[in-house]
Amino acid sequence: AELEAEAGVDVVPDERLDASLIVQEVCVRVGDAVEAGQTLLRCRPSAALTEELATAEQALERARLSALEARAGTEEVYAAYKSWEAAADAALQTPADAALAAQEAHARAELDAACASADARARLSARLTAERRLEAAQEEWTALQALTERAQALTAPQDGVVVYLAGAAGDEIRADETAATLSASPTLLVCAPATAEEAAYFATAQSLLRADV
């Protein structure tokens, strides 16, 4: 059976990630009325996602070590850079403010003085590169870890009626695709083909919903 609704909301594990999950348990059926926060599906990471998470953790550890090495002997020049960065951001936000422009120019002069030698410039460049790589590695690991934890219980973001479920127990689903859809309205339309048993179930669900409205 297929259910249609005037409007709805999709439950997507994480649209940013190209990863897959294995459905362990389907906690609701199409046609069920659910409340916000109610568990719809329970999933676990696929073998590929588990491997990807382990790889990301290793990359994060390497990035941390590289950043620690790059920070050595760069305290003064890095502090000057961060001061100039903050002043430049403030001046950019309010370009008509002469005081902020003066502060940015002063911070730039101090940065130039700190980077007077080629060695200082090279050390600063190496540290900035290492910090960016660490930030990227941290973001990737955090996103994968969050998906792994969130997938244990994919929940309804609002009250509604389940009109779509992506799979059954044992099925593999993509993290960046819709795992379930809820209707924003209690009014459902049952479209053929549907068995008599399914039609009776949907009719009962609709009657219960109408009684609650």
Side-chain angles (χ1 to χ4, degrees):
E2 177 185 357
L3 295 184
E4 296 180 353
E6 294 180 356
V9 59
D10 292 333
V11 178
V12 181
D14 195 322
E15 60 185 10
R16 303 167 300 173
L17 297 178
D18 181 12
S20 57
L21 304 167
I22 304 299
V23 178
Q24 288 187 299
E25 180 184 3
V26 180
C27 304
V28 295
R29 294 188 296 178
V30 171
D32 282 353
V34 297
E35 298 179 348
Q38 182 173 337
T39 300
L40 307 175
L41 298 168
R42 298 187 187 278
C43 304
R44 62 175 173 80
S46 65
L49 177 55
T50 300
E51 182 178 353
E52 189 175 357
L53 181 60
T55 300
E57 187 171 7
Q58 294 169 2
L60 176 58
E61 185 58 29
R62 289 194 300 269
R64 283 174 177 161
L65 292 175
S66 296
L68 284 174
E69 293 176 359
R71 289 166 186 166
T74 63
E75 292 80 3
E76 181 179 351
V77 66
Y78 187 72
Y81 172 81
K82 296 302 289 184
S83 294
W84 167 76
E85 185 179 50
D89 287 343
L92 185 62
Q93 293 295 324
T94 315
D97 192 319
L100 291 178
Q103 291 175 12
E104 188 274 335
H106 178 70
R108 180 69 204 192
E110 291 188 335
L111 174 59
D112 290 341
C115 292
S117 70
D119 180 66
R121 291 192 296 273
R123 284 176 176 271
L124 176 60
S125 177
R127 176 166 180 176
L128 292 176
T129 298
E131 297 288 359
R132 284 193 292 268
R133 287 175 178 170
L134 175 58
E135 182 179 359
Q138 181 69 61
E139 288 180 354
E140 181 176 3
W141 178 85
T142 299
L144 291 171
Q145 181 65 24
L147 171 61
T148 299
E149 294 174 357
R150 185 166 54 252
Q152 295 176 17
L154 296 176
T155 59
Q158 65 178 42
D159 295 350
V161 177
V162 179
V163 295
Y164 169 76
L165 290 168
D171 288 349
E172 182 172 321
I173 61 174
R174 291 185 54 80
D176 57 353
E177 295 181 355
T178 300
T181 301
L182 305 180
S183 71
S185 165
T187 301
L188 299 178
L189 175 62
V190 180
C191 302
T195 66
E197 181 181 354
E198 289 172 330
Y201 174 78
F202 297 142
T204 301
Q206 286 181 280
S207 297
L208 292 173
L209 286 169
R210 292 194 186 100
D212 289 338
V213 176

